[in-house]
Amino acid sequence: MRIPIVCVDERVRQYVGVFWECFSRPQRRHFVTMLVALLLCHGPRTLSNLFRTVAGAGSVASLSRFLAEAPWDASTVAKTWFRRFREQVAPQIAALHAEQRANRPRRGGRSKATRVTGYLIGDDSTMHKRRGKKMEGLGKHYSTTERRVLTGHSLLQALYVVAGRRCPLEPQLYRQKAVCEAEGVAFASKGDLMAECIRSFEPAADTHTHVLLDSWYSAKSIWAAAKARGFSISSGLKSNRLLRIADAHAKGGWRWQDLTTYASKRTENDYQQVVWPNQDGAGRVVWVHVVTTTVRNLGRCQVILVRDTLDAPLKEVRFWASSDLDADAATLIRHLAVRWDIEVLFADAKELLGLDQYQLMSATAIVRFWTLVLAAYVFLEEERARLAATTEQHVTIGDAQRAIQRAHWVHLLTWLRQQFQHQEAFASIVRQLAA
């Protein structure tokens, strides 16, 4: 059954109004249709199914033109929701600073400055396209979920986490060099795209930014970009990365050693127990070894070795590096645990909003579809935060979506009752609601 546009919840109306300046008057109807349909659709998020979700949506062809041809800028939409996010979290950031000032011990001399950390998390995700042979931007990309190379699109995404809130940044389509040459577009590596994201990022006021990346982005240029902005950075390391260790018999008193060899020489006494936080607040115990040294191409940093149990095989040891030289082991683990939020973003956006369910041909339409999905995600994140504050319980994005869907069903039933009370013709109601 299709939801009439008049039944759209007031909170959704207020949210879409924030983006009015991003679209012309005809485009606004399509924007509202897409956003509401993404929130309410129960099947795959193809244009046909999205069209069948909301009544008064024009046509499938008009939605297709809205994504592929209409003159609107996806980057402006992303900047609009991020500006709104920074305004929303400003009071929470101020409250965290005040809490730190109230709790710090009183002593003589100048007080230590308070710090609220915001995390800029970057990663990529593969959108598997089994039958999309004529889609622009298609390439061969490794999927960590499937653990194999798939044909599809590679979404490069950044997520900002601060004061208990999350906000995705503008999505980017990564094309391999051969694909760029075939389609006549300029090539930029994943490292280049991530470094540019760091250079152009505008954090919330009165915060310190900590960049979190996996081992695919442990490049010298990315670390340099973060340090140039005064950001901290922590990233995964592959087991073959070299770190500097003391050696009295080597020239200069030190030598390079790969992480696998270094880990093999550590004893149980070199590790300490630390709690790795989970989203539900419980956490799990892991064993951690931290050493301050130099990693080749990254410079001076803290190297973190993590294993789930002391008797876990060497191949299961995970490695990270962090530029935060003053942090203890527990603080470093808290930094690293936040990176999981972007994995949750990908999972929620795919499962709940159909991030990977599109059937679009042009690269412009694909990036615009991703942008609209993330705009819907931002709305659900706002609802999640509101519900969590109201109920004082843990609320997920899925909980927020189910709540907004229930609200729309109430609006629909109320509308139907009003129509029958006014003796609206049954055939007229059927024409409006039948898909």
Side-chain angles (χ1 to χ4, degrees):
M1 183 182 294
R2 304 171 75 180
I3 301 291
I5 203 72
V6 297
C7 296
V8 173
D9 188 78
E10 182 60 28
R11 293 192 296 274
V12 178
R13 292 179 183 274
Q14 293 175 356
Y15 179 72
V16 297
V18 174
F19 301 91
W20 248 213
E21 297 303 318
C22 302
F23 304 97
S24 66
R25 182 170 294 180
Q27 293 166 5
R28 291 171 184 169
R29 183 182 66 168
H30 294 307
F31 173 66
V32 174
T33 297
M34 288 291 298
L35 192 75
V36 174
L38 286 166
L39 292 170
L40 303 184
C41 184
H42 288 283
R45 267 63 171 189
T46 61
L47 289 188
S48 297
N49 279 345
L50 293 175
F51 170 72
R52 285 192 287 264
T53 301
V54 180
S59 66
V60 176
S62 63
L63 289 179
S64 178
R65 289 192 296 272
F66 170 69
L67 290 174
E69 302 172 8
W72 59 277
D73 183 27
S75 179
T76 302
V77 174
K79 290 176 181 176
T80 300
W81 80 54
F82 191 57
R83 181 168 60 250
R84 172 183 170 91
F85 175 81
R86 290 199 301 265
E87 292 171 354
Q88 289 179 339
V89 298
Q92 300 171 42
I93 292 171
L96 289 173
H97 281 293
E99 181 181 352
Q100 291 181 25
R101 287 193 293 269
N103 294 334
R104 64 189 176 192
R106 296 185 178 182
R107 60 184 65 174
R110 181 176 298 178
S111 300
K112 183 179 180 181
T114 58
R115 171 182 281 195
V116 174
T117 300
Y119 296 94
L120 177 62
I121 314 169
D123 204 354
D124 58 86
S125 181
T126 299
M127 310 293 158
H128 189 195
K129 292 298 166 185
R130 294 179 176 85
R131 301 179 182 88
K133 295 181 180 180
K134 295 183 179 180
M135 290 180 173
E136 291 183 352
L138 280 180
K140 300 288 187 178
H141 304 284
Y142 182 78
S143 170
T144 54
T145 304
E146 298 286 339
R147 296 187 178 182
R148 60 191 177 99
V149 175
L150 303 174
T151 298
H153 297 111
S154 180
L155 165 62
L156 189 77
Q157 185 63 52
L159 175 70
Y160 188 48
V161 179
V162 64
R165 293 284 306 279
R166 311 178 191 92
C167 183
L169 275 61
E170 177 184 355
Q172 299 183 78
L173 172 63
Y174 164 71
R175 291 179 174 98
Q176 293 163 319
K177 192 171 184 178
V179 176
C180 289
E181 293 174 351
E183 298 181 357
V185 297
F187 171 72
S189 68
K190 289 182 181 180
D192 294 336
L193 293 174
M194 191 61 69
E196 180 56 32
C197 176
I198 294 171
R199 284 191 288 266
S200 61
F201 177 65
E202 298 180 13
D206 301 321
T207 62
H208 173 72
T209 301
H210 195 128
V211 179
L212 298 174
L213 303 166
D214 69 9
S215 59
W216 291 97
Y217 297 96
S218 292
K220 180 179 180 180
S221 60
I222 295 177
W223 273 60
K227 290 180 177 180
R229 293 290 308 276
F231 298 165
S232 301
I233 180 170
S234 298
S235 63
L237 294 176
K238 295 183 179 180
S239 59
N240 61 353
R241 292 297 291 264
L242 301 178
L243 71 160
R244 180 172 170 170
I245 62 169
D247 186 346
H249 302 290
K251 183 178 180 180
W254 63 273
R255 60 184 173 86
W256 295 111
Q257 187 176 79
D258 65 85
L259 282 167
T260 299
T261 304
Y262 179 81
S264 68
K265 298 181 180 298
R266 305 280 69 80
T267 66
E268 293 184 0
N269 294 331
D270 293 323
Y271 288 86
Q272 59 180 301
Q273 277 187 321
V274 177
V275 174
W276 186 290
N278 293 335
Q279 283 196 324
D280 59 8
R284 58 187 176 87
V285 173
V286 295
W287 293 88
V288 178
H289 169 72
V290 179
V291 59
T292 301
T293 184
T294 299
V295 174
R296 179 173 283 182
N297 296 328
L298 300 185
R300 192 75 172 170
C301 57
Q302 294 207 76
V303 175
I304 307 109
L305 282 64
V306 179
R307 59 200 316 168
D308 293 328
T309 61
L310 288 177
D311 57 354
L314 186 61
K315 65 180 181 180
E316 295 183 6
V317 178
R318 291 161 289 164
F319 307 100
W320 281 273
S322 177
S323 66
D324 190 349
L325 300 178
D326 298 325
D328 58 16
T331 301
L332 290 170
I333 293 301
R334 285 197 297 271
H335 291 329
L336 300 179
V338 178
R339 204 203 71 82
W340 185 250
D341 281 9
I342 198 166
E343 303 292 350
V344 176
L345 165 66
F346 288 139
D348 286 344
K350 289 180 179 181
E351 180 180 354
L352 303 177
L353 297 171
L355 182 67
D356 58 346
Q357 295 170 5
Y358 53 88
Q359 296 176 354
L360 302 165
M361 295 296 106
S362 73
T364 297
I366 292 167
V367 173
R368 285 178 170 184
F369 179 83
W370 288 345
T371 302
L372 296 179
V373 168
L374 292 175
Y377 179 92
V378 171
F379 171 76
L380 291 178
E381 165 60 24
E382 292 183 9
E383 285 298 294
R384 184 203 63 78
R386 184 184 67 82
L387 291 172
T390 302
T391 63
E392 297 184 353
Q393 295 178 352
H394 177 68
V395 179
T396 66
I397 291 292
D399 294 333
Q401 185 184 41
R402 286 184 286 273
I404 204 68
Q405 288 175 346
R406 285 194 298 269
H408 279 86
W409 279 112
V410 171
H411 297 329
L412 175 61
L413 294 174
T414 302
W415 178 81
L416 284 172
R417 182 180 64 181
Q418 293 172 347
Q419 297 302 303
F420 289 125
Q421 287 175 344
H422 290 83
Q423 297 182 341
E424 186 72 22
F426 178 75
S428 174
I429 296 175
V430 170
R431 283 196 300 273
Q432 293 183 67
L433 302 185

